[in-house]
């Protein structure tokens, strides 16, 4: 999955960029945090795990 697609899904659900880490960007919805790797392509299994863990679908 492209990184942009995953971030777009997060932002559509009310998540925003909290800070930039060394190798990840940290997103939050005010209650939870989720590190998103800074690779142009994110592994499908990781992307699906993030989507499932944060209830995006």
């Amino acid at each position: 999955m492209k990184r942009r697609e995953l971030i777009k899904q997060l932002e559509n659900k009310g998540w925003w960029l909290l800070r930039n880490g060394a190798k990840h960007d940290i997103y939050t919805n005010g209650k939870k945090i989720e590190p998103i790797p800074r690779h142009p392509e994110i592994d499908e299994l990781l992307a699906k795990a993030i989507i499932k863990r944060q209830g995006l679908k």
Side-chain angles (χ1 to χ4, degrees):
M1 171 179 271
K2 297 236 182 253
R3 182 175 184 271
R4 287 181 182 177
E5 294 174 15
L6 181 59
I7 290 174
K8 193 175 200 180
Q9 286 184 15
L10 283 169
E11 289 176 344
N12 286 340
K13 294 292 184 174
W15 290 70
W16 66 91
L17 179 65
L18 179 64
R19 66 182 173 86
N20 294 320
K23 295 183 180 180
H24 294 76
D25 290 332
I26 310 300
Y27 280 81
T28 185
N29 66 353
K31 297 179 183 176
K32 300 179 187 176
I33 61 169
E34 185 66 48
I36 306 296
R38 275 202 212 120
H39 305 293
E41 282 286 328
I42 296 177
D43 183 60
E44 283 297 318
L45 292 175
L46 176 60
K48 286 180 182 181
I50 291 171
I51 289 169
K52 184 177 180 182
R53 185 169 47 232
Q54 302 309 336
L56 299 177
K57 284 194 175 183

